């Protein structure tokens, strides 16, 4: 069902005016930020700093755990070829995960099949994903630019529909319309 022809029940509080909620589209919350990204209020700066430091700490912890795995390979004396392959595999997966995470902050993925095929690479390269998240928090909440663009487009669409729709009493100017008694 398109958002133009939604039934009032399906629209919910976000699409109805009155005490239930504000009229018009509502911003999509971002993990760890909620909707504070809209006006940069409610501790937005502290959340950005905290999320960035948390992602860096998690990446450092992950690197420490991977170091134990590397030492385990050295203790097992599996050979330099296997050790090199493991290190290269983690480096490549981290680079791919970094790139993939960075791209998710700038655009929506249209393919769910592609997402499924990348899950294992993202899991192996989790350090790259965490580093991308930490670096993105230096400029904005991760995904803020994408969500802000979508939100502003939705607000503009809502305003165009509201003002041009015929028969919408909320869009009419006061004093116009039918006279009483007719």
């Amino acid at each position: 069902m398109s958002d133009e022809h939604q039934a009032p029940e399906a629209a919910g509080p976000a699409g109805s005016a009155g005490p239930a909620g504000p009229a018009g589209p509502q911003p999509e919350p971002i993990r760890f930020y909620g909707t504070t990204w809209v006006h940069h209020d409610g501790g937005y700066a502290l959340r950005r700093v905290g999320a960035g430091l948390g992602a860096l700490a998690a990446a450092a912890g992950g690197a420490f755990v991977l170091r134990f795995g590397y030492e385990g390979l050295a203790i097992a004396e599996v050979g330099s070829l296997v050790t090199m392959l493991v290190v290269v595999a983690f480096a490549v997966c981290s680079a791919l995960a970094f790139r993939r995470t960075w791209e998710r902050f700038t655009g929506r993925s249209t393919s769910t099949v592609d997402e499924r095929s990348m899950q294992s690479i993202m899991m192996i390269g989790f350090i790259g994903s965490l580093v991308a998240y930490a670096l993105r928090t230096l400029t904005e909440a991760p995904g803020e630019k994408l969500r802000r663009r979508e939100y502003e487009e939705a607000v503009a669409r809502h305003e165009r529909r509201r003002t041009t729709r015929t028969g919408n009493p909320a869009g009419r100017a006061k004093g116009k319309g039918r006279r009483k008694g007719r």
Side-chain angles (χ1 to χ4, degrees):
M1 180 183 279
S2 75
D3 49 333
E4 285 184 64
H5 304 293
Q6 277 186 337
E9 304 86 47
S16 61
Q26 297 300 305
E28 184 179 345
I30 298 175
R31 183 180 295 162
F32 305 125
Y33 297 92
T35 57
T36 61
W37 60 268
V38 177
H39 300 293
H40 294 185
D41 59 355
Y44 172 80
L46 286 174
R47 290 175 191 222
R48 266 185 50 197
V49 169
L53 290 176
L56 282 178
F64 188 68
V65 169
L66 287 178
R67 183 172 178 259
F68 282 134
Y70 178 80
E71 287 177 0
L73 290 174
I75 290 171
E77 297 177 1
V78 293
S80 62
L81 178 65
V82 173
T83 303
M84 183 185 68
L85 286 174
V86 169
V87 169
V88 168
F90 272 103
V92 167
C93 287
S94 289
L96 289 172
F98 179 92
R99 181 173 173 252
R100 185 75 168 186
T101 303
W102 195 266
E103 287 175 352
R104 280 191 195 161
F105 297 142
T106 58
R108 297 241 186 232
S109 176
T110 57
S111 173
T112 57
V113 175
D114 196 32
E115 293 293 321
R116 287 187 185 182
S117 65
M118 288 294 288
Q119 282 180 344
S120 58
I121 291 175
M122 295 289 286
M123 187 173 15
I124 293 169
F126 67 97
I127 292 176
S129 185
L130 290 169
V131 170
Y133 191 90
L135 289 176
R136 193 61 178 204
T137 60
L138 295 176
T139 58
E140 66 174 8
E144 177 184 346
K145 189 180 293 183
L146 171 67
R147 287 194 172 90
R148 184 172 303 281
R149 184 179 67 231
E150 291 173 348
Y151 175 63
E152 288 172 355
E153 287 171 0
V155 167
R157 242 187 346 262
H158 174 74
E159 285 301 315
R160 276 195 316 269
R161 285 187 200 142
R162 187 175 171 272
T163 57
T164 60
R165 190 181 306 159
T166 59
N168 182 0
R172 288 188 202 146
K174 300 289 182 199
K176 289 185 177 180
R178 293 179 101 174
R179 284 189 270 153
K180 290 185 178 181
R182 279 195 169 186

